Amino acid sequence: GESVGLHLPTLSVQEGDNSIINCAYSNSASDYFIWYKQESGKGPQFIIDIRSNMDKRQGQRVTVLLNKTVKHLSLQIAATQPGDSAVYFCAENTNPMDSSYKLIFGSGTRLLVRP
Amino acid sequence: DTGVSQNPRHKITKRGQNVTFRCDPISEHNRLYWYRQTLGQGPEFLTYFQNEAQLEKSRLLSDRFSAERPKGSFSTLEIQRTEQGDSAMYLCASSLNPGQTSSYEQYFGPGTRLTVT
């Protein structure tokens, strides 16, 4: 069925290092992917998105990579800071013909930044 | 504050009681979504509105749940005869109509955390 999953439930990194959070998706028809950051007690906050016609997109300190061949998505955070500590979710719009554009979320990866 | 707002932020209720949550989306957004999130999991889609029309409901939305968006602005989500299994964070998100923008980004509110005792 349609699902979005994550390889690592918890990732611990040293402050200043780069972080890579991975995500696998199962629906090859998905055409839109998005990464959200969620801090404790808050709603998800948009980080970056990517369409299926791209394989890389960069933002401020973040890069999303999309490998459609193996249905894999990753979020790279450069020079990780304590404020990056949060749970990160990838989500996909699984059916481009679905007019709802509802998002299907994975279960999340917790990023812990060590000082 | 021009973001999505939700009220109340927290609600504790006894099993069997009715509760109602409110969501105020970003003013120019005509799409409004409700999601439910349990601890350690990602949000799960419940329903969405295009203006005042409710266009889709998830199978997660039992008959005890009802959502409205009467004037195409704010929305309410009501749960009748609450059960302990309803305890979760209820998130609201809004977006422009995907036909109006190249991004499908949904902007989330802070959520309403429901605890049913």
Side-chain angles (χ1 to χ4, degrees), chain A residues 31-32 34 36 38 41-46 49 51 89 93 98-108, chain B residues 9 31 33 35 37 40-43 45 48 56 89 91 98 101-111:
Chain A
D31 73 337
Y32 176 75
I34 188 167
Y36 281 96
Q38 188 173 27
K42 297 183 179 180
Q45 176 186 358
F46 171 84
D49 58 2
R51 293 281 194 108
F89 294 97
N93 173 22
D98 178 356
S99 60
S100 75
Y101 292 89
K102 61 180 174 287
L103 297 174
I104 306 299
F105 284 81
S107 57
Chain B
R9 294 292 310 278
R31 289 216 166 187
Y33 299 81
Y35 291 83
Q37 185 177 27
Q41 301 298 314
F45 170 79
Y48 90 101
E56 184 175 338
M89 174 80 86
L91 292 162
T101 176
S102 60
S103 171
Y104 302 156
E105 180 184 350
Q106 294 179 20
Y107 296 78
F108 282 83

Side-chain angles (χ1 to χ4, degrees), chain B residues 58-75:
Chain B
S58 161
R59 286 173 293 177
L60 293 175
L61 215 64
S62 75
D63 292 343
R64 296 183 296 106
F65 288 70
S66 62
E68 294 182 342
R69 194 183 183 197
K71 297 182 180 179
S73 56
F74 73 91
S75 175

Side-chain angles (χ1 to χ4, degrees), chain B residues 7-69:
Chain B
N7 288 288
R9 294 292 310 278
H10 303 273
K11 179 70 177 178
I12 300 174
T13 191
K14 292 185 177 180
R15 187 179 55 185
Q17 297 295 304
N18 299 342
V19 294
T20 300
F21 311 140
R22 175 177 169 128
C23 171
D24 287 89
I26 295 172
S27 58
E28 62 267 28
H29 286 180
N30 43 24
R31 289 216 166 187
L32 187 148
Y33 299 81
W34 284 99
Y35 291 83
R36 181 173 70 186
Q37 185 177 27
T38 53
L39 197 61
Q41 301 298 314
E44 296 174 292
F45 170 79
L46 293 178
T47 188
Y48 90 101
F49 292 83
Q50 171 86 15
N51 299 314
E52 67 276 6
Q54 186 176 18
L55 298 184
E56 184 175 338
K57 294 191 287 186
S58 161
R59 286 173 293 177
L60 293 175
L61 215 64
S62 75
D63 292 343
R64 296 183 296 106
F65 288 70
S66 62
E68 294 182 342
R69 194 183 183 197

